[in-house]
């Protein structure tokens, strides 16, 4: 499919898929959206729950590793909080290194040279094995289709960042959310930018408690589902 790099309203770039008229991120701001949906309502929400426990740590599953923006933002948070994070990104169609080199996330998010190189390392490190990017943060990239996920009781947080249901409706239905529910630990949290009624009902049908939250700029609502 024909793709091109575009600049979103907060100055951060994203990938536009011309045949689908779909982006990897919101055109209102890629970084802004990722921080709001995944970092604030997913990561920070769960961190506030565990921060005062003894030996806190987190395991995160990303549905659609894509450009690695969510992984980079989560890495930067792990450095601030000194909480070990095991991050697993599932992706069937990895983004090419040429495209990655055109994305400006590392430059916008950090002035620290070492942190900037982490973004590149995320894309050059091996698949299917943990890459230790710092003392606190490991990244495991898994090349597979979402429908084949069989993780069991393993994750505290899921960043559910599939393309929208307009273009991939099958990713927002009961069979996928059953797999997400099983992948989470008890009280685990799934967050997504979508607030679509049919997706919310599918989540409820598999057992999630679902709440609507205010969305990022340009989007009225988003969903958070708790196991
Ligand atoms: C909205 S984009 C990902 C955004 C990503 N989180 C980021 O920040 O760049 C959705 C991703 O899901 C991947 N994808 C689409 N269908 C898939 C499938 N059936 N199984 C696995 N990955 C899939 C796409 O290649 C794409 O990278």
């Amino acid at each position: 499919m024909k793709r091109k790099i575009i600049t979103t309203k907060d100055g951060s770039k994203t990938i536009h898929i011309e045949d689908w008229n779909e982006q990897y991120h919101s055109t209102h701001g890629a970084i802004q959206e990722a921080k709001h949906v995944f970092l604030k309502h997913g990561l920070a929400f769960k961190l506030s729950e565990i921060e005062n426990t003894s030996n806190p740590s987190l395991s995160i599953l990303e549905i659609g590793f894509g450009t690695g923006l969510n992984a980079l933002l989560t890495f930067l948070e792990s450095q601030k909080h000194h909480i070990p994070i095991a991050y697993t990104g599932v992706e069937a169609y990895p983004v090419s290194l040429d495209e990655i080199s055109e994305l400006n996330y590392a430059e916008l998010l950090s002035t620290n040279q070492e942190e900037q190189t982490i973004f590149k390392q995320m894309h050059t490190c091996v698949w299917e094995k943990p890459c230790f990017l710092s003392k606190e943060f490991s990244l495991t990239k898994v090349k597979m289709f979402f429908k084949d996920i069989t993780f069991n009781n393993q994750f505290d947080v899921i960043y559910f960042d599939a393309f929208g249901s307009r273009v991939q409706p099958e990713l927002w239905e009961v069979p996928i959310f059953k797999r997400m529910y099983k992948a989470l630990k008890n009280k685990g949290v799934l967050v997504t930018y979508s607030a679509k009624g049919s997706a919310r009902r599918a989540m409820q049908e598999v057992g999630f408690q679902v709440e609507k939250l205010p969305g990022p700029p340009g989007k009225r609502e988003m969903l958070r589902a708790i196991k």
Side-chain angles (χ1 to χ4, degrees):
M1 277 194 281
K2 231 172 146 200
R3 300 149 67 89
K4 69 173 183 212
I5 308 288
I6 60 165
T7 304
T8 68
K9 283 191 187 148
D10 67 0
S12 57
K13 307 217 173 196
T14 192
I15 302 170
H16 173 76
I17 301 177
E18 293 186 6
D19 302 0
W20 280 355
N21 190 26
E22 178 82 355
Q23 286 75 230
Y24 276 55
H25 306 97
S26 161
T27 53
H28 292 275
I31 288 183
Q32 186 174 255
E33 175 192 47
K35 279 186 170 173
H36 180 91
V37 175
F38 302 109
L39 278 287
K40 177 178 175 195
H41 289 304
L43 179 68
F45 174 76
K46 196 68 187 172
L47 273 179
S48 67
E49 198 182 292
I50 64 154
E51 223 159 13
N52 295 321
T53 59
S54 56
N55 301 322
S57 67
L58 278 181
S59 56
I60 297 177
L61 173 64
E62 178 168 25
I63 295 303
F65 178 73
T67 63
L69 171 58
N70 294 327
L72 178 64
L73 285 165
T74 305
F75 168 84
L76 294 171
E77 283 304 299
S78 74
Q79 301 309 102
K80 273 191 224 155
H81 292 271
H82 300 292
I83 288 183
I85 294 182
Y87 195 102
T88 301
V90 174
E91 176 60 60
Y93 311 100
V95 176
S96 74
L97 286 178
D98 281 349
E99 283 181 311
I100 292 301
S101 69
E102 288 188 57
L103 300 172
N104 58 354
Y105 305 141
E107 296 75 17
L108 291 178
L109 290 169
S110 177
T111 49
N112 175 325
Q113 199 68 38
E114 236 172 84
E115 287 183 344
Q116 287 190 1
T117 63
I118 291 290
F119 184 58
K120 191 155 181 231
Q121 279 181 43
M122 286 180 162
H123 290 282
T124 51
C125 73
V126 291
W127 288 73
E128 321 301 338
K129 278 190 204 156
C131 313
F132 291 89
L133 298 173
S134 76
K135 205 158 56 69
E136 282 96 10
F137 190 94
S138 73
L139 169 66
T140 307
K141 296 184 291 183
V142 183
K143 192 160 181 247
M144 61 151 66
F145 289 107
F146 304 143
K147 67 176 173 51
D148 297 327
I149 284 175
T150 55
F151 300 117
N152 190 6
N153 204 22
Q154 193 174 326
F155 296 99
D156 299 293
V157 181
I158 294 179
Y159 297 163
F160 195 85
D161 200 11
F163 287 126
S165 57
R166 180 180 61 86
V167 293
Q168 289 193 297
E170 71 282 6
L171 301 182
W172 299 86
E173 290 171 357
V174 164
I176 293 288
F177 289 124
K178 257 192 193 153
R179 288 174 190 272
M180 298 300 114
Y181 191 85
K182 191 167 168 230
L184 282 172
K185 297 178 191 166
N186 206 16
K187 293 196 178 161
V189 176
L190 177 151
V191 270
T192 185
Y193 64 86
S194 171
K196 215 171 183 296
S198 54
R200 180 167 49 85
R201 286 188 291 278
M203 290 176 194
Q204 284 166 335
E205 194 177 322
V206 306
F208 279 113
Q209 280 198 335
V210 189
E211 57 186 321
K212 283 188 203 163
L213 298 167
K219 190 120 205 319
R220 205 157 55 89
E221 290 172 328
M222 57 164 280
L223 297 176
R224 179 164 60 203
I226 300 185
K227 177 169 174 178

